[in-house]
Amino acid sequence: MKIISSPLELKNYLKNKNLTIGFVPTMGALHEGHISLIKKAKEQNALVVVSIFLNPTQFLKGEDLDKYPKKDEADKKICELSGVDVLFFPRVEDIYGVDEVSLLAPKVRGFVLEGASRPSHFNGVLTVVMKLLNIVNPTKAYFGKKDAQQLNLISLMVKQLFMDVEIVPVDTVREKDGLALSSRNVYLTPQEREEALKIPSSLRSATVMVTRGVLGSKEITSNMREILAPLEIFYVEILDREFNRLLDVEIGNTIILVEVKVGTTRLLDNIWL
């Protein structure tokens, strides 16, 4: 596995490879969810690049940038064992300069759900993803479905800016008890970890309701909110794949999304129906 920190060095290394390139951008603290992205990239491409970059522009003032879990040596070992060909490990000054050009998230889709309580968050996400995609110039880039809004906005950016890369969604990986894997799960105390199970429980209940023919969004989300109580709820929404609100579930075109705070930790999850 080759480790590169310079964007220019990476561009020069990759530009004459004449191979299909799969790219997995991460912020580090790798877990089985990231490994599933790497596996998918290896299945579909001749060469796999993983980036580890804790992007400061997507964190708002007072958020957990300073305490976000950093496991650099473990991450390198995971990448090596997973068969990654190139690990891109830039510093902040390698990615950002002075008087930066930046992207703005769309005025509607970028400022609902997570964007409503974290204004400018998706500006930072889209800006850094654009930079990383331009550096790597991959054939395909892999993102988890757990961050459904992020996935939607990145796909929209690629489409609207006519970028030559395929965005590949990958299914959420869960613990045995159903909790979606997240780097932020390490923040949870044992009691909070138990409380967090209300999230997958609410989504399972929604799925059962749909299989029994209950399709009304209001009825489903009300039931989910009861299960999630007394957790602080940021949103429980039923949307189509373009992030428009639905009055009724449309099988094959629906995402049920939830974000809550457990202790001091924000956790989000969803199911695609």
Side-chain angles (χ1 to χ4, degrees):
M1 182 178 73
K2 190 173 183 66
I3 301 176
I4 298 175
S5 61
S6 163
L8 184 58
E9 182 184 345
L10 181 59
K11 284 179 72 73
N12 288 334
Y13 179 77
L14 294 173
K15 69 180 179 182
N16 296 319
K17 289 298 183 187
N18 199 29
L19 298 169
T20 55
I21 298 174
F23 178 44
V24 180
T26 82
M27 293 207 301
L30 303 184
H31 51 64
E32 286 292 335
H34 298 106
I35 293 171
S36 74
L37 299 176
I38 294 169
K39 286 180 178 176
K40 182 69 72 173
K42 283 183 65 65
E43 289 171 6
Q44 298 181 348
N45 302 275
L47 188 147
V48 173
V49 179
V50 171
S51 66
I52 294 177
F53 179 65
L54 187 55
N55 177 40
T57 66
Q58 69 189 70
F59 288 81
L60 278 62
K61 186 177 181 180
E63 290 190 339
D64 59 340
L65 174 61
D66 292 335
K67 67 174 184 174
Y68 194 88
K70 296 180 180 66
K71 302 178 180 179
D72 293 353
E73 293 308 312
D75 289 345
K76 290 176 185 177
K77 181 57 69 175
I78 287 171
C79 287
E80 188 175 9
L81 293 174
S82 299
V84 171
D85 298 290
V86 181
L87 176 57
F88 182 42
F89 220 127
R91 302 164 301 171
V92 173
E93 54 265 37
D94 295 320
I95 299 296
Y96 291 107
V98 179
D99 197 21
E100 274 278 326
V101 173
S102 63
L103 288 177
L104 298 178
K107 293 179 181 178
V108 177
R109 272 186 267 189
F111 291 88
V112 296
L113 303 181
E114 189 173 8
S117 55
R118 303 180 72 193
S120 83
H121 165 68
F122 287 116
N123 296 347
V125 170
L126 294 178
T127 297
V128 78
V129 171
M130 167 68 89
K131 285 173 176 277
L132 293 171
L133 291 175
N134 283 338
I135 293 166
V136 178
N137 193 28
T139 313
K140 298 180 179 182
Y142 297 80
F143 295 87
K145 286 184 176 181
K146 183 175 76 69
D147 295 297
Q149 188 174 11
Q150 170 181 281
L151 172 61
N152 179 273
L153 292 173
I154 290 169
S155 299
L156 184 67
M157 174 184 74
V158 165
K159 177 182 178 181
Q160 291 185 343
L161 298 184
F162 306 101
M163 298 173 68
D164 191 18
V165 58
E166 180 184 346
I167 302 301
V168 181
V170 180
D171 289 339
T172 300
V173 177
R174 300 181 179 278
E175 302 276 10
K176 290 181 180 179
D177 57 13
L179 187 66
L181 288 175
S182 168
S183 299
R184 288 187 167 96
N185 287 352
V186 299
Y187 297 158
L188 301 173
T189 66
Q191 183 178 348
E192 289 169 350
R193 177 69 174 68
E194 193 67 28
E195 282 285 289
L197 294 179
K198 292 181 178 181
I199 303 170
S201 178
S202 72
L203 292 169
R204 282 195 299 269
S205 179
T207 304
V208 169
M209 292 180 74
V210 171
T211 60
R212 291 176 177 172
V214 179
L215 301 179
S217 295
K218 188 173 181 180
E219 190 171 352
I220 294 170
T221 56
S222 294
N223 174 258
M224 290 178 66
R225 285 178 175 274
E226 289 178 9
I227 294 170
L228 291 165
L231 297 176
E232 180 182 349
I233 299 172
F234 290 104
Y235 58 78
V236 178
E237 293 283 358
I238 298 181
L239 309 177
D240 66 17
R241 300 292 167 86
E242 296 303 316
F243 272 61
N244 302 301
R245 279 197 175 95
L246 291 173
L247 293 177
D248 298 288
V249 168
E250 298 174 0
I251 301 299
N253 186 39
T254 296
I255 311 176
I256 303 179
L257 306 101
V258 56
E259 183 178 18
V260 301
K261 182 179 281 188
V262 183
T264 60
T265 305
R266 303 172 70 110
L267 296 176
L268 52 81
D269 200 353
N270 60 70
I271 51 170
W272 297 51
L273 300 175

